[in-house]
Amino acid sequence: MELGLVGLGKMGGNMRERIRRAGHTVVGYDRDPKVSDVASLAELVDKLEGPRVVWVMVPAGAPTQSTIDELKDLLAEGDVVVDGGNSRWTDDEKHAAELAERGIGFVDCGVSGGVWGLENGYALMVGGDDEHVARVQPVFDALKPEGDFGYVHAGKVGAGHFSKMVHNGIEYAMMQAYAEGWELLEAVDSVTDVREVFRSWQEGTVIRSWLLDLAVNALDDDEHLDKLRGFAADSGEGRWTVEAAIDNAVPLPAITASLFARFSSRQDDSPQMKMIAALRNQFGGHAVESKSEH
């Protein structure tokens, strides 16, 4: 099938390549002309035969809103817009209603996979009407990992991004647990090789995971994380998860604590946040701050 893809950054650029490898046609647009296939959103729409599917992969908030506003005027009845960024689920409901005024369908898609998705595939959590999801299904099939898992039609509009938000909240808590354990191991005299303790957990233990593998990768690069500053940003989804828990009276003590721990990294250099920063860089290519920068 044909797909328009808006936003060709670290995630979007690799997604374009993976979809093309599956045999589909992708017309990509980015503000950076060096990576863009076309010069404008209007040209992207013109190059697609109707009914069109346009996937938006830009930062949440104002960039997504302005892109959808422009597409609303460019697309026609029967077309479908997919928001694959990290938008808040309440924005999805708003965007779906705005596009529906023109007869344009809307699907929200939470995407997980980071910089590894090109080779490993992307876990996809999708929300929207059955007919709109079905239109995009060949692209979902191209992006997802091989095998039976890694894709879910989670429910109606907003369900995809809500599911991805909860996924990221869990990720916060898991990373925090690894970071706390690492700091405690580093603090005692009796443990002389913390990196190898972490490596030993990669097989046969109940806490083995891809995040643990990435932690070992980070320690192989910098055994005591001496090169990193103990600072880790929060992307917004951790906050949204805690806000949703409050709204629904669901207790989230571990996830909430892990969010507040990120705030501690705004203060003095935090050993735990070195590990959090290292993990975020490993799986998502997120920027880290070195000690030399401060």
Side-chain angles (χ1 to χ4, degrees):
M1 64 174 284
E2 288 186 340
L3 178 76
L5 182 59
V6 183
L8 302 170
K10 283 181 292 190
M11 288 276 280
N14 282 344
M15 288 167 64
R16 173 175 62 176
E17 178 61 24
R18 186 171 174 90
I19 297 165
R20 284 177 173 171
R21 288 180 184 179
H24 302 296
T25 298
V26 183
V27 180
Y29 169 69
D30 193 273
R31 288 183 300 177
D32 181 356
K34 292 192 293 291
V35 299
S36 191
D37 300 320
V38 292
S40 66
L41 270 182
E43 185 180 349
L44 178 145
V45 171
D46 286 343
K47 283 187 175 292
L48 298 174
E49 293 186 14
R52 307 171 188 86
V53 175
V54 178
W55 187 304
V56 178
M57 205 70 193
V58 301
T64 295
Q65 183 66 61
S66 63
T67 302
I68 287 178
D69 287 344
E70 190 172 350
L71 287 172
K72 179 181 175 182
D73 293 331
L74 292 170
L75 296 174
E77 184 174 350
D79 294 344
V80 173
V81 171
V82 182
D83 179 6
N86 282 331
S87 294
R88 188 181 171 98
W89 79 96
T90 49
D91 289 345
D92 295 327
E93 297 163 358
K94 175 176 178 287
H95 295 153
E98 291 169 347
L99 292 169
E101 294 172 1
R102 302 287 180 86
I104 302 167
F106 178 84
V107 174
D108 62 286
C109 182
V111 181
S112 181
V115 295
W116 301 84
L118 174 58
E119 299 302 327
N120 297 343
Y122 299 87
L124 307 172
M125 293 142 271
V126 173
D129 294 346
D130 289 345
E131 63 175 304
H132 299 145
V133 171
R135 287 276 310 285
V136 194
Q137 194 65 53
V139 175
F140 295 145
D141 291 340
L143 288 172
K144 70 177 287 295
E146 293 183 12
D148 297 332
F149 307 112
Y151 167 82
V152 61
H153 182 184
K156 57 188 181 181
V157 165
H161 280 143
F162 193 93
S163 299
K164 176 59 163 51
M165 177 194 74
V166 174
H167 165 282
N168 282 25
I170 294 170
E171 176 188 293
Y172 269 52
M174 290 176 67
M175 288 197 292
Q176 184 64 27
Y178 285 128
E180 291 176 10
W182 173 77
E183 183 177 357
L184 182 57
L185 287 165
E186 287 276 354
V188 300
D189 293 332
S190 59
V191 180
T192 57
D193 200 334
V194 174
R195 177 176 60 187
E196 293 310 309
V197 171
F198 261 55
R199 197 187 312 278
S200 76
W201 292 343
Q202 289 181 276
E203 296 292 343
T205 73
V206 296
I207 63 166
R208 64 189 186 275
S209 73
W210 186 38
L211 275 177
L212 178 63
D213 296 342
L214 295 176
V216 173
N217 289 350
L219 295 174
D220 281 340
D221 292 340
D222 181 7
E223 182 174 357
H224 302 288
L225 304 183
D226 292 327
K227 300 173 185 176
L228 297 182
R229 177 173 172 250
F231 174 86
D234 64 284
S235 63
E237 288 176 306
R239 298 186 187 212
W240 299 343
T241 305
V242 173
E243 291 169 4
I246 293 169
D247 291 342
N248 291 278
V250 174
L252 299 186
I255 292 174
T256 302
S258 68
L259 172 66
F260 288 167
R262 297 277 181 103
F263 298 161
S264 72
S265 76
R266 311 295 194 272
Q267 301 160 8
D268 293 334
D269 205 27
S270 165
Q272 291 173 24
M273 289 305 131
K274 291 183 180 183
M275 177 57 80
I276 300 292
L279 284 168
R280 294 179 80 244
N281 177 256
Q282 285 284 326
F283 68 72
H286 299 289
V288 294
E289 297 190 8
S290 67
K291 282 196 168 182
S292 63
E293 294 172 334
H294 291 270

